[in-house]
């Protein structure tokens, strides 16, 4: 008898061991999150509202919100198992942006190694990754994004899409948000993710077929046909145990992301949620309207004396209030309240001043709510350009998104002042490191990384954005360095935008002496090639540690490009490398950059490489042509065609951005607007 019991016990143990994932809780079901029975860990801005709804984000800008099941789920039998389990999930969500037409970034269903996702960025990164770990296989991150902003850096198809992301913010596959009615593939309907209405999503993965499917519907019925189907083996992505949940963030505009219910199951189909039984969703805007109505009714019963005091208070307050005209309401990026920027910069005090120029001053600031460091450029009111046109241009530039561009975060208008808010660059501008007494000498590896980053930023401006953007003031002073010493191109005050393939019509020559392409004084028309010429000057600056024009140099070394060309011609070009490097640099890379700097400085625009070619040269994908084959005699750009009155005028006017008319008469950048800001304004703490 005892022997029989032992055998039965062994049989039970074997059967239990043969069923995967049954030693864990492999099924979750929440038809609301009531707190006591909720095994969900919240991070960042995420909270559970009193109705039992998870709100991932709040009123704070650039906030991250995470909501993950508190304990990890087993996706494999063991760490040595190569095959991942099948899984299925269904969840009800709603996205309610402050401005529905503009959106405000979305959220993602996420499977991750961690429920905290340390180092993740907000905005377009959705609290998932950051610029330094995008695409890394070691991320072990699976996400299905429901995105309401079209980010060109991540090749988004539109501002209302669903995408599958594997270790990356660039979706492996994405489709427009739609759903099928009555299970018919021929009856597809559009679905607006940012409508504020409740939507149910289903994500199903069949590990046997390596098939991933995503479905959407505004109802409680699961469609028979998916809107997104992707063939993929998730075994390399998912580890033995992973956390499941949701990640979201806001950017420059407020947006609220809600999860009303959630089911999840390993090796089976997750239960579909009944939307009618879930907690009801109240819009933040409706709450505000109710509050305003209540205050209005209360004000109606206030005594005449109290009304008089209130009017007196309002009159005083209106003197310092932001004036918002109707046309400004639909302009992005984010419009900051003047009071918030005044508080961030401590009243625009001189000790917060980090730069100045012909159009105003730049102050360092810290947004109190988020502890975000910013740079605030305060532009004076003498601008000849109309406010509406000026802000419309800002709205366009503010949509640029690239890791090697300084981000325009927002703006503010108060009376005759325009304030532009940018990312603060902790390590100052490149020229401070190259030419001033910096605390730390830039190593060669850092210099090479910086120029590659700026080159990528220019490729984005010239070719990858929806319009061609010509910067017109590329120089070391406008290359800013972030905390990781990445080069970011900033100051788009002189930039011009054109449709791809169109012919620029601008006839005013703007930019900084020493970086101006020689053809500009003849045609007055900026091109991508004139940006390449300026980038060539930056390349030579980085290698030589000298400005394009060096007043204190010997006569034969006055103009940097001429000096480098002469040293190249006589076979002694490595002698121009910055002495501050102490001889510690990669000779092959230094020769590559010097050669490329000369090629970009060709006086013939058609012989200069495009920025796309420049990147390929720097990456070693393509071999550079011989300098002698490209130049017919001595045809580097030089400065002779730009200078009026000789070299002395050129040297004295060099440090400031400059504007020429067709007669080549020079004037300070502060004397004309032509794009809106002086390029000498820094967005960093300098050195």
């Amino acid at each position: 008898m005892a022997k029989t019991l032992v055998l039965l016990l062994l049989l039970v143990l074997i059967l239990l061991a043969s069923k995967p994932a049954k030693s864990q809780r492999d099924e979750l079901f929440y038809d609301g999150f009531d707190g006591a029975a909720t095994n969900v860990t919240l991070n960042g801005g995420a909270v559970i509202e009193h109705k039992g709804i998870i709100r991932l984000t709040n009123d704070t800008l650039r906030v991250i919100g995470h909501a993950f099941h508190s304990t990890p789920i087993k996706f494999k039998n063991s760490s040595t198992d190569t095959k991942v389990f099948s899984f299925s999930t269904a969840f009800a969500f709603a996205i309610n942006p402050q401005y529905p037409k503009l959106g405000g970034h979305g959220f993602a269903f996420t499977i991750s190694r961690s429920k905290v996702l340390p180092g993740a960025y907000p905005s377009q990164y959705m609290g998932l990754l950051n610029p330094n770990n995008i695409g890394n296989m070691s991320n072990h991150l699976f996400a299905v994004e429901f995105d309401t902003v079209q980010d060109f850096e991540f090749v988004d198809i539109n501002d209302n899409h669903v995408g599958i992301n594997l270790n990356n913010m660039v979706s492996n596959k994405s489709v427009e948000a739609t759903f099928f009615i009555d299970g018919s593939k021929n009856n597809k309907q559009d679905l607006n993710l940012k409508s504020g209405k409740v939507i149910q999503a289903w994500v199903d993965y069949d590990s046997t077929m390596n098939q991933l499917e995503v479905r959407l519907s505004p109802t409680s019925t699961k469609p028979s046909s998916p809107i997104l189907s992707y063939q993929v083996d998730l075994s390399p992505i998912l580890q033995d145990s992973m956390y499941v949940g949701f990640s979201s963030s806001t950017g420059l505009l407020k947006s609220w992301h809600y999860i009303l219910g959630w089911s999840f199951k390993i090796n089976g189909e997750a239960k579909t949620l009944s939307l009618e039984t879930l907690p009801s969703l109240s819009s933040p805007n409706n709450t505000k309207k109710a509050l305003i109505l209540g205050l209005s009714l209360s004000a109606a019963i206030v005594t005449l004396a109290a009304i008089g005091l209130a009017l007196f208070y309002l009159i005083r307050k209106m003197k310092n209030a932001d004036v918002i005209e109707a046309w400004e309401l639909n302009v992005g990026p984010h419009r900051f309240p003047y009071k918030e920027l005044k508080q961030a910069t401590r009243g625009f005090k001189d000790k917060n001043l980090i730069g100045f120029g012909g159009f105003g001053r730049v102050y360092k600031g810290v947004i109190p709510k988020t502890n975000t460091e910013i740079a605030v450029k305060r532009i004076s009111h003498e601008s000849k350009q109309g406010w509406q046109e000026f802000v419309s241009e800002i709205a366009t530039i503010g949509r640029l998104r690239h890791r090697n561009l300084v981000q325009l975060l927002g703006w503010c208008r108060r009376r005759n002042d325009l304030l532009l808010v940018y990312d603060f660059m902790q390590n100052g501008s490149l020229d401070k490191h190259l030419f001033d007494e910096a605390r730390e000498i830039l190593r060669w590896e850092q210099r090479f990384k910086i120029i590659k980053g700026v080159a990528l930023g220019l490729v984005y401006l010239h070719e990858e954005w929806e319009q061609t953007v010509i910067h017109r003031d590329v120089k070391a002073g406008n290359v800013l360095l972030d905390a990781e010493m990445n080069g970011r191109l900033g100051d788009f005050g002189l930039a011009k935008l054109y449709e791809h393939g169109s012919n620029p019509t601008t006839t005013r020559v703007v930019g900084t002496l020493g970086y101006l392409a020689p053809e500009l004084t003849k045609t007055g028309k900026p091109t991508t090639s004139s940006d390449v010429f300026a980038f060539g000057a930056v390349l030579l600056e980085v290698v030589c540690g000298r400005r394009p024009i060096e007043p204190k140099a010997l006569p034969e070394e006055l103009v940097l490009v001429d000096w480098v060309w002469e040293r190249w011609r006589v076979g002694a070009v490595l002698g121009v490398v910055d002495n501050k490097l102490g001889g510690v640099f990669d000779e092959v890379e230094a020769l590559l950059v010097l050669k490329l700097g000369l090629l970009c400085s060709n006086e013939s625009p058609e012989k200069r490489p495009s920025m796309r070619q420049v990147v390929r040269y720097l990456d070693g994908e393509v071999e550079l042509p011989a300098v002698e084959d490209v130049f017919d005699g001595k045809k580097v750009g030089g400065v002779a065609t730009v200078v009026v009155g000789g070299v002395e005028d050129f040297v004295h006017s060099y440090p400031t951005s400059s504007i020429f008319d067709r007669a080549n008469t020079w004037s300070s950048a502060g004397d004309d607007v032509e794009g809106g800001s002086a390029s000498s304004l820094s967005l960093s703490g300098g050195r």
Side-chain angles (χ1 to χ4, degrees), residues 482-665:
D482 62 19
E484 288 79 35
M485 298 299 287
N486 296 304
R488 295 198 190 188
L489 186 59
D491 205 326
F492 291 83
L494 301 181
K496 284 295 178 184
L497 289 78
Y498 302 99
E499 296 300 324
H500 288 292
S502 64
N503 187 26
T505 57
T506 300
T507 57
R508 294 188 65 80
V509 181
V510 300
T512 300
L513 291 171
Y515 303 85
L516 287 170
E519 70 270 11
L520 286 175
T521 56
K522 301 173 185 177
T523 66
K525 295 181 179 180
T527 63
T528 55
S529 186
S530 56
D531 272 357
V532 173
F533 183 91
F535 182 72
V538 173
L539 290 174
L540 298 181
E541 285 181 290
V542 169
V543 181
C544 304
R546 292 180 42 169
R547 299 184 185 277
I549 307 297
E550 189 58 67
K552 297 178 182 179
L554 297 172
E556 63 271 18
E557 299 178 7
L558 174 67
V559 180
L560 179 60
V561 65
D562 288 348
W563 178 51
V564 174
W565 167 248
E566 180 60 27
R567 303 309 295 168
W568 182 281
R569 200 174 58 81
V570 299
V573 72
L574 285 178
V576 304
V577 176
D578 191 354
N579 290 329
K580 292 192 290 292
L581 287 169
V584 181
F585 62 93
D586 187 311
E587 290 189 7
V588 174
E589 290 180 350
L591 284 170
L592 170 68
V593 177
L594 285 168
K595 190 175 183 180
L596 190 52
L598 290 173
L599 292 176
C600 293
S601 300
N602 196 303
E603 72 172 15
S604 301
E606 65 275 6
K607 290 187 178 181
R608 298 172 202 151
S610 69
M611 286 309 304
R612 177 77 66 184
Q613 290 173 309
V614 168
V615 170
R616 295 186 71 191
Y617 290 141
L618 290 171
D619 285 340
E621 294 181 9
V622 181
E623 187 175 348
L624 272 166
V627 175
E628 293 77 6
D629 294 341
V630 176
F631 290 109
D632 179 16
K634 178 184 178 297
K635 287 192 176 181
V636 290
V639 297
T641 59
V642 180
V643 180
V644 179
V647 173
E648 203 60 31
D649 289 342
F650 190 105
V651 172
H652 289 317
S653 60
Y654 165 73
T656 310
S657 297
S658 310
I659 296 175
F660 292 80
D661 60 19
R662 293 305 299 273
N664 290 345
T665 302

Side-chain angles (χ1 to χ4, degrees), residues 404-521:
N404 295 111
L405 300 181
V406 177
Q407 178 77 48
L408 175 64
L409 302 179
W411 63 288
C412 172
R413 183 171 79 93
R414 178 179 176 267
R415 298 181 182 174
N416 292 324
D417 284 340
L418 181 71
L419 299 118
L420 305 180
V421 183
Y422 296 88
D423 275 333
F424 177 75
M425 298 289 103
Q426 292 90 331
N427 283 307
S429 56
L430 177 60
D431 63 336
K432 297 291 192 298
H433 287 268
L434 292 176
F435 313 129
D436 295 350
E437 293 296 328
R439 288 177 295 180
E440 231 177 279
I441 303 299
L442 281 177
R443 303 188 309 276
W444 174 255
E445 295 81 5
Q446 293 174 312
R447 300 185 190 209
F448 196 65
K449 174 185 175 184
I450 289 165
I451 60 177
K452 287 180 72 173
V454 176
L456 288 170
L458 283 169
V459 170
Y460 171 77
L461 295 178
H462 290 178
E463 300 180 20
E464 295 178 348
W465 199 55
E466 61 188 59
Q467 291 178 286
T468 297
V469 182
I470 303 174
H471 188 278
R472 298 206 293 174
D473 205 13
V474 177
K475 62 180 182 179
N478 282 339
V479 175
L480 302 176
L481 308 177
D482 62 19
E484 288 79 35
M485 298 299 287
N486 296 304
R488 295 198 190 188
L489 186 59
D491 205 326
F492 291 83
L494 301 181
K496 284 295 178 184
L497 289 78
Y498 302 99
E499 296 300 324
H500 288 292
S502 64
N503 187 26
T505 57
T506 300
T507 57
R508 294 188 65 80
V509 181
V510 300
T512 300
L513 291 171
Y515 303 85
L516 287 170
E519 70 270 11
L520 286 175
T521 56

Side-chain angles (χ1 to χ4, degrees), residues 12-70:
V12 170
L13 290 174
I14 291 171
L15 289 172
L16 288 174
S18 66
K19 293 185 177 182
K22 289 302 180 182
S23 60
Q24 63 161 341
R25 184 180 179 185
D26 57 2
E27 183 172 9
L28 313 174
F29 184 79
Y30 297 107
D31 54 355
F33 305 86
D34 59 8
T38 299
N39 191 18
V40 175
T41 299
L42 305 174
N43 286 306
V47 297
I48 295 179
E49 294 188 335
H50 66 280
K51 291 184 177 181
I53 299 174
I54 293 178
R55 191 187 71 221
L56 293 170
T57 51
N58 52 35
D59 292 352
T60 308
L61 301 178
R62 296 167 71 88
V63 68
I64 292 173
H66 294 145
F68 282 90
H69 184 58
S70 299

